[in-house]
């Protein structure tokens, strides 16, 4: 019975992750009209599921994420209650934020859930505060890094292509470099962050794949003909195709990377019920990854459009060239952070990148009201998740 409850709670968490985090991958493509909202949620649903099942981690490290000190994670009954409470606490907050249309970090939500359980279980001294400080730093670091890179990149694209006398000619000259850089960043990020490949080896393979893609992509994209006489149509048509590709990659990799937030605690509950003790690392069977992937896909399908609308349409106006700069900046920022071991939130980077492109065109073109609400939701994420989780923890302990 308890195992069934854990599966249901894990599915709810996966559903909430899919509903909110789908904006990370598809919001700019929808905002730029590269694809429709319906197409976006359908594509995301399929790719998130495939990413989770094919490349989701088969080993879930301790769900504490370094928040609750290891010495307070020995009592199986408390850990079991804490795992369920953390999932419920974070799920409630993420779903509330999704209904409100606010993009929040699902990782920060589960961190808040763990902190709430730890404090309710053993007090403030059970929390690893140095780890909490690094997470707080990521609230600031992530959007600033995304903003800076997107701002600079859009300025470069504007001067090198968009503001030229003949932008189509400038675009054709730039295609090999743009395709190479795009594939290089995408492949390197996937190898390092998802496949956990050695950096030097990933560097070689990414360069080879990017070089081949650059040659083939250049041949294909130079054949595009603008429908009218406007050269900007050609430029936007090229960026549209690149943007769809980067959005699909982010969706696929998100399924692979974030499914652990939902199924990791469930795998731990499964282990405790089966073995009667607490393990720092537990195996995650494929069927559990599939359950998480299914939940993420369902969330993207049924509630994904709400947050997509906020990020893709309400912060600033997007087109394909701006959307591509946002996607490229986000992937690059996450890659650099992963290589350097810096704490970072993809959600915060995406929003920062959107603002970066907006401010590159003019500060007045950024909707400050929407941005203010997003920032408020970010600062509410950990405390609200912690409070709800603590309440669920004390409640669950009465029944197990």
């Amino acid at each position: 019975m308890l195992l069934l409850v854990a599966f249901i709670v894990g599915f709810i968490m996966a559903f909430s992750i899919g509903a909110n985090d789908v904006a990370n991958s598809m919001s700019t493509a929808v905002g730029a009209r590269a694809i429709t909202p319906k197409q976006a949620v359908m594509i995301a649903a399929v790719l998130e599921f495939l990413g989770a099942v094919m490349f989701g981690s088969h080993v879930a490290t301790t769900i504490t994420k370094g928040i609750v000190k290891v010495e307070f994670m020995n009592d199986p009954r408390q850990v079991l209650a804490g795992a369920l409470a953390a999932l419920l606490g974070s799920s409630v907050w993420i779903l509330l934020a999704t209904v409100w249309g606010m993009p929040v970090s699902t990782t920060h939500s589960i961190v808040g859930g763990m902190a709430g359980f730890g404090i309710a279980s053993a007090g403030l001294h059970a929390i690893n505060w140095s780890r909490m400080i690094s997470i707080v730093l990521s609230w600031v670091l992530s959007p600033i890094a995304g903003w800076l890179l997107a701002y600079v990149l859009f300025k470069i694209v504007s001067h090198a292509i968009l503001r030229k006398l003949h932008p189509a000619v400038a675009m054709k000259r730039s295609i090999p470099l743009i395709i190479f850089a795009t594939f290089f960043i995408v492949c390197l990020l996937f190898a390092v962050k998802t496949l956990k490949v050695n950096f030097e080896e990933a560097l070689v393979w990414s360069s080879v794949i990017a070089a081949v893609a650059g040659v083939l992509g250049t041949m294909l994209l130079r054949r595009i003909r603008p429908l009218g006489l406007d050269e900007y149509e050609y430029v936007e048509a090229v960026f549209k195709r690149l943007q769809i590709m980067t959005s699909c990659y982010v969706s696929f990799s998100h399924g692979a990377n974030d499914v652990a937030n939902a199924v990791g605690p469930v795998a731990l509950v499964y282990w405790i019920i089966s073995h009667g003790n607490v393990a720092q690392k537990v195996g995650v069977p494929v069927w559990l990854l599939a359950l998480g992937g299914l939940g993420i896909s369902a969330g993207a399908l049924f509630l994904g459009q709400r947050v997509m609308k906020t990020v893709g349409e309400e912060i600033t106006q997007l087109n394909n060239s701006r959307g591509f700069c946002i996607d490229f900046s986000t992937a690059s920022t996450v890659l650099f952070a992963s290589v350097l071991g810096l704490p970072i939130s993809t959600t915060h980077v995406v929003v920062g990148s959107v603002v970066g492109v907006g401010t590159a065109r003019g500060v007045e073109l950024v909707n400050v009201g929407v941005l203010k609400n997003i920032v408020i939701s970010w600062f509410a994420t950990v405390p609200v998740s912690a409070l709800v989780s603590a309440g669920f923890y004390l409640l669950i302990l009465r029944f197990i």
Side-chain angles (χ1 to χ4, degrees):
M1 179 62 184
L2 197 58
L3 200 55
L4 179 62
V5 171
F7 291 153
I8 293 170
V9 172
F11 183 85
I12 293 170
M13 178 62 182
F15 181 93
S16 62
I17 289 172
N20 200 280
D21 271 5
V22 70
N24 290 352
S25 57
M26 293 295 169
S27 58
T28 56
V30 170
R33 306 291 188 270
I35 51 177
T36 66
K38 189 175 287 187
Q39 288 171 332
V41 294
M42 289 294 290
I43 293 168
V46 173
L47 293 177
E48 294 270 1
F49 178 79
L50 290 175
V53 174
M54 293 169 65
F55 293 103
S57 176
H58 287 272
V59 178
T61 53
T62 166
I63 58 159
T64 64
K65 292 190 176 292
I67 298 302
V68 182
K69 293 175 182 175
V70 177
E71 58 264 32
F72 296 99
M73 294 289 293
N74 295 322
D75 186 334
R77 180 170 167 267
Q78 288 185 345
V79 173
L80 195 149
L84 293 175
L87 283 174
L88 284 166
S90 49
S91 297
V92 167
W93 168 244
I94 296 168
L95 286 172
L96 281 173
T98 302
V99 171
W100 189 24
M102 293 296 106
V104 295
S105 169
T106 53
T107 302
H108 288 176
S109 300
I110 197 75
V111 162
M114 286 309 306
F117 136 63
I119 292 168
S121 173
L124 292 171
H125 62 285
I127 304 302
N128 186 344
W129 291 107
S130 62
R131 174 65 179 149
M132 283 296 287
I133 289 169
S134 75
I135 289 164
V136 170
L137 284 175
S138 78
W139 292 344
V140 180
L141 178 68
S142 302
I144 289 177
W147 171 83
L148 184 62
L149 195 53
Y151 182 94
V152 171
L153 182 61
F154 186 71
K155 285 291 188 184
I156 291 170
V157 169
S158 295
H159 287 291
I161 299 171
L162 301 177
R163 293 183 182 175
K164 292 291 185 183
L165 184 61
H166 296 290
V169 175
M171 185 71 203
K172 285 181 179 180
R173 286 176 184 158
S174 305
I175 283 176
L177 178 61
I178 292 171
I179 295 177
F180 178 86
T182 303
F183 272 85
F184 178 75
I185 290 292
V186 164
C187 292
L188 190 57
L189 181 56
F190 188 73
V192 170
K193 189 171 172 63
T194 305
L195 300 181
K196 314 295 184 190
V197 174
N198 174 275
F199 183 73
E200 286 75 18
E201 187 182 341
L203 209 59
V204 173
W205 281 109
S206 300
S207 300
V208 172
I209 293 170
V212 173
V215 173
L216 296 177
T218 300
M219 286 166 29
L220 290 171
L221 292 180
R222 279 181 173 169
R223 292 179 181 177
I224 298 172
R225 294 287 181 268
L227 297 174
L229 298 175
D230 189 355
E231 290 191 40
Y232 287 104
E233 287 182 12
Y234 173 78
V235 174
E236 292 299 318
V238 172
F239 277 123
K240 176 180 178 178
R241 285 155 177 79
L242 291 170
Q243 191 189 1
I244 292 171
M245 187 208 74
T246 53
S247 294
C248 288
Y249 156 71
V250 175
S251 189
F252 183 80
S253 65
H254 175 263
N257 295 325
D258 276 31
V259 69
N261 282 340
V263 302
V266 178
L268 185 58
V269 170
Y270 182 63
W271 175 274
I272 291 171
I273 293 173
S274 304
H275 298 81
N277 59 12
V278 180
Q280 290 305 305
K281 290 186 178 181
V282 295
V284 181
V286 175
W287 59 265
L288 195 52
L289 290 172
L291 177 73
L294 197 63
I296 291 175
S297 297
L301 207 55
F302 292 108
L303 280 180
Q305 292 189 34
R306 290 176 180 266
V307 182
M308 268 198 295
K309 188 172 186 292
T310 301
V311 178
E313 298 178 18
E314 295 182 2
I315 297 175
T316 193
Q317 189 176 3
L318 300 178
N319 60 13
N320 299 123
S321 53
R322 295 167 205 157
F324 170 78
C325 290
I326 292 165
D327 289 347
F328 188 88
S329 301
T330 300
S332 301
T333 304
V334 172
L335 173 63
F336 296 147
S338 299
V339 171
L340 298 174
L342 299 172
I344 206 154
S345 163
T346 305
T347 302
H348 292 196
V349 174
V350 170
V351 173
S353 297
V354 173
V355 176
V357 165
T359 51
R361 296 170 56 233
V363 178
E364 70 280 0
L365 297 173
V366 176
N367 190 332
V368 179
V370 171
L371 200 57
K372 181 185 73 175
N373 289 337
I374 292 172
V375 173
I376 290 170
S377 72
W378 287 353
F379 280 101
T381 296
V382 169
V384 172
S385 299
L387 282 171
V388 178
S389 172
F392 274 120
Y393 173 73
L394 296 173
L395 185 66
I396 291 167
L397 274 182
R398 292 174 177 237
F399 294 96
I400 63 171

